[in-house]
Amino acid sequence: MSRTRALALTLAIVVAACGSDEGGGGAARAGAPLVFKDAPALLMSIDTLRADRLGCYGYTRGTSPQLDAFARECVLFEDVYAPSCKTAESHMSLFTSLPVTAHGISNASDRLGIPLRELCDNRLTLGQMLNRGGYWNTAEACGGNLLPQMGFARGFQGRFDSRLRDVKDLVDATLQQVDAGRAQERPLFAFM
């Protein structure tokens, strides 16, 4: 079995289910720390990929056999919409559960004169919440506008590497970080 297949079988595409600090699986009371289940979690984001061209979403031309097989073993969300057409905006909404207008992060561009903005300190990220829940977090991304300086790396004890590279290198780096995370003897969250 390949390492990629092993990863696919052992990690589910879920953000860990949470409950109150008193157990019971209900919503946490205001101000109470969240307690996360110990299941490992992998969150994969494939930027600019059209769902209507994937077999797991009904496309019949065989464009995505590996993703389709992976989706059969995972949670597949069918009604999900990006809050923006911009990478940084959508991903920061994913990382904070906030609309774009609340987190204020947008793609940066030296060429277009758009400055890099950092997430306000009073905004919690997915990495920080998972860290509070006992998770060891790591992330491997392909550059773009998922920059640590914007606040994306908050709460990640493992590496947060975001640079342009081949997808094979990205997967290999993620697998290396998963191995490092498993050695921590804590629940693992990996973003790819």
Side-chain angles (χ1 to χ4, degrees):
M1 177 181 296
S2 72
R3 289 183 74 194
T4 304
R5 181 94 172 122
L7 177 66
L9 293 174
T10 58
L11 300 177
I13 299 179
V14 296
V15 176
C18 62
S20 72
D21 60 341
E22 299 168 1
R29 62 190 190 316
L34 294 177
V35 178
F36 295 87
K37 293 184 179 183
D38 290 342
L42 170 67
L43 176 59
M44 276 195 315
S45 173
I46 305 174
D47 198 26
T48 68
L49 178 65
R50 289 178 48 168
D52 66 348
R53 294 298 186 259
L54 299 174
C56 56
Y57 288 104
Y59 197 59
T60 59
R61 294 184 72 189
T63 57
S64 54
Q66 297 298 325
L67 284 174
D68 299 341
F70 188 59
R72 285 191 291 274
E73 299 174 21
C74 299
V75 175
L76 179 68
F77 296 93
E78 295 181 359
D79 292 314
V80 179
Y81 299 91
S84 171
C85 62
K86 296 179 181 174
T87 300
E89 291 179 1
S90 287
H91 283 83
M92 191 55 80
S93 289
L94 178 69
F95 273 47
T96 63
S97 296
L98 295 171
V100 174
T101 55
H103 62 66
I105 300 300
S106 188
N107 289 0
S109 173
D110 289 335
R111 184 174 55 87
L112 297 176
I114 303 170
L116 184 141
R117 295 191 59 191
E118 183 178 357
L119 184 68
C120 293
D121 288 337
N122 66 350
R123 304 292 191 208
L124 291 175
T125 66
L126 176 62
Q128 290 171 307
M129 293 303 293
L130 288 167
N131 190 10
R132 287 181 178 183
Y135 275 72
W136 187 84
N137 306 318
T138 187
E140 298 288 338
C142 276
N145 274 280
L146 301 183
L147 303 172
Q149 307 92 303
M150 292 176 157
F152 284 104
R154 290 184 192 169
F156 285 83
Q157 303 82 28
R159 189 167 69 186
F160 190 101
D161 189 355
S162 184
R163 58 191 161 88
L164 188 59
R165 55 192 150 159
D166 183 75
V167 71
K168 181 187 180 322
D169 296 334
L170 178 72
V171 170
D172 289 344
T174 300
L175 291 170
Q176 288 173 354
Q177 287 298 297
V178 165
D179 290 343
R182 293 175 68 196
Q184 301 295 317
E185 297 183 7
R186 294 170 57 191
L188 168 72
F189 171 76
F191 172 76
M192 180 171 83

